[in-house]
Amino acid sequence: MQIEPQAFDRVLSSMCTEPHPVAREAAERFLATNPGDPGTYPAISSLEDEAIERLGEIAGLADPAGYVTSGGTEANIQAVRIARERAETATPTVVMPESGHFSFQKAATLLGVDLQLVPTDDDHRADLDAVRACVDDDTALLVGVAGTTEYGRVDPIPELGDLARSVDAMLHVDAAWGGFVLPFTDHDWNFDHAPVDTMAIDPHKMGQAAVPAGGLLVRKQSLLDELAVDTPYLESTSQATLTGTRSGAGVASAVAAMDELWPAGYREQCTRSQANAEWLAGALTARGYDAVTPELPLVAADVPAATFEALRDAGWRISRTGTGELRIVCMPHVTREMLEAFVADLDELGSH
Ligand code: 0PR
């Protein structure tokens, strides 16, 4: 019996989406290649250089360095590792708003650094006063999120950059999800806007590449060199990635998607997704549910637990924020028709 993958027609909470057809095709062609061994697989290795060039363009970084990771988690772990390697203190800490992704908990545990969480303000953004009170000479890394997982919020990145510089810490921006929509907004989020040292920006989320294709960007090559280990028996002499064998499929599909969609295709998608999010937030508000204004294409709203469960039982793949709000991510596969069907079910099943 063949097991079918989850169909996307009721998936509303995932940050995965259907890859663009050109990304799917490229993934298949490069399925058996390993960019971890550039001496043996030079074609995928040069495609990876292209991927980093493109990601640099998207994130406002001329002459970028970095590599295609397995996802945002790996990019975040590596950013913490770079900061720890460069720290001059014996007890390095990472300061992050509580809206940061749980991958930083993994990074902190793995790397033996102390993760200090600071509160967010009433609109779910990093509270600058709280960050200011927390940073000190032990701070190796300050994290800002550009497109938070729960509310799609963008932290004040330039101000966080100033705070990082004031204590000689590095600044990492987690744009794993937001990186492919933020170029079409007014937010200051990228290397051009602030003294950003490292960034997570994932083609396999809003970039419409196949999984696995995350992105780690660093402002200069010497930062990546902090991660390098010697690889004596390979033709290339060192490796900066966390994993050894990597997916050439992810790399090739990221390049194919970015070649096809940057910038016009991504702009159109961003406009469509944002309009859908605003429509949904309006529909929820009109029905008496408290919805957080969607700044990026992600909607959070207060829906009673019983209603949430009924919607899940009806087949909708939805999730909740840490404080229990319904959370819907308007990924490229989420159409207006899907949202209309969802709201119709909500009208039928709702119990508020
Ligand atoms: N940074 C941010 C801001 C994220 O939202 C995520 C993932 C990561 C980093 C980690 O990225 P990777 O999962 O690629 O390592 N956020 C999603 C989440 O936690 C991940 C996800 C994706 C969850 C698809 C469910 C799903 O179906 O919600």
Side-chain angles (χ1 to χ4, degrees):
M1 190 187 79
Q2 187 172 342
I3 297 181
E4 294 298 323
Q6 170 73 42
F8 271 105
D9 62 339
R10 294 205 152 204
V11 174
L12 294 180
S13 64
S14 186
M15 286 189 170
C16 296
T17 194
E18 275 189 287
H20 189 281
V22 301
R24 184 183 290 272
E25 193 268 334
E28 209 172 307
R29 272 196 302 134
F30 282 85
L31 210 48
T33 62
N34 172 21
D37 180 4
T40 308
Y41 302 99
I44 194 65
S45 178
S46 60
L47 274 180
E48 183 163 27
D49 295 342
E50 232 177 275
I52 296 308
E53 276 305 313
R54 289 278 177 182
L55 285 172
E57 231 179 281
I58 294 170
L61 180 61
D63 209 8
Y67 74 91
V68 176
T69 64
S70 55
T73 300
E74 182 180 341
N76 288 339
I77 291 172
Q78 294 286 67
V80 174
R81 192 170 151 215
I82 292 171
R84 190 193 65 170
E85 294 305 311
R86 287 178 84 89
E88 299 200 338
T89 161
T91 50
T93 63
V94 174
V95 173
M96 177 175 87
E98 62 191 5
S99 53
H101 190 254
F102 54 76
S103 47
F104 289 96
Q105 306 274 1
K106 300 180 187 179
T109 308
L110 277 167
L111 295 166
V113 301
D114 190 24
L115 180 63
Q116 302 184 334
L117 296 183
V118 294
T120 48
D121 64 18
D122 291 345
D123 201 26
H124 312 288
R125 290 186 188 80
D127 180 329
L128 287 173
D129 290 334
V131 174
R132 192 173 295 112
C134 195
V135 295
D136 60 24
D137 290 343
D138 279 336
T139 310
L141 183 69
L142 189 51
V143 175
V145 191
T148 60
T149 310
E150 291 194 316
Y151 298 102
R153 289 302 191 246
V154 182
D155 288 332
I157 303 298
E159 290 80 358
L160 290 176
D162 292 342
L163 284 174
R165 286 295 176 266
S166 74
V167 289
D168 272 339
M170 294 181 55
L171 176 67
H172 175 65
V173 171
D174 184 353
W177 177 71
F180 282 82
V181 286
L182 285 162
F184 313 109
T185 69
D186 294 334
H187 291 285
D188 287 337
W189 67 284
N190 72 21
F191 287 90
D192 246 355
H193 304 131
V196 179
D197 296 293
T198 57
M199 178 181 285
I201 173 170
D202 287 356
H204 75 196
K205 296 191 170 72
M206 291 303 277
Q208 297 177 49
V211 177
L216 172 69
L217 284 180
V218 302
R219 189 177 276 281
K220 45 185 194 285
Q221 178 64 35
S222 57
L223 294 175
L224 206 59
D225 293 342
E226 299 285 357
L227 303 173
V229 298
D230 295 339
T231 52
Y233 58 86
L234 293 181
E235 271 183 79
S236 49
T237 52
S238 78
Q239 196 175 78
T241 55
L242 187 58
T243 55
T245 302
R246 290 187 294 137
S247 168
V251 171
S253 85
V255 174
M258 290 187 283
D259 272 354
E260 178 78 11
L261 297 170
W262 172 257
Y266 289 130
R267 175 180 283 114
E268 272 170 40
Q269 185 54 56
C270 173
T271 306
R272 207 164 27 237
S273 292
Q274 184 62 28
N276 281 341
E278 284 167 19
W279 179 85
L280 177 64
L284 293 172
T285 307
R287 284 161 176 77
Y289 300 104
D290 231 353
V292 176
T293 307
E295 209 162 73
L296 295 180
L298 196 162
V299 178
D302 260 328
V303 167
T307 306
F308 181 89
E309 291 306 333
L311 287 163
R312 268 198 75 90
D313 290 345
W316 293 103
R317 301 294 104 202
I318 48 181
S319 69
R320 271 180 282 208
T321 65
T323 50
E325 292 136 305
L326 163 72
R327 183 178 154 266
I328 290 182
V329 192
C330 293
M331 296 298 292
H333 68 270
V334 175
T335 60
R336 184 66 61 89
E337 292 70 34
M338 271 171 79
L339 294 175
E340 282 168 355
F342 176 76
V343 170
D345 276 5
L346 176 66
D347 284 340
E348 200 181 309
L349 303 167
S351 60
H352 62 282

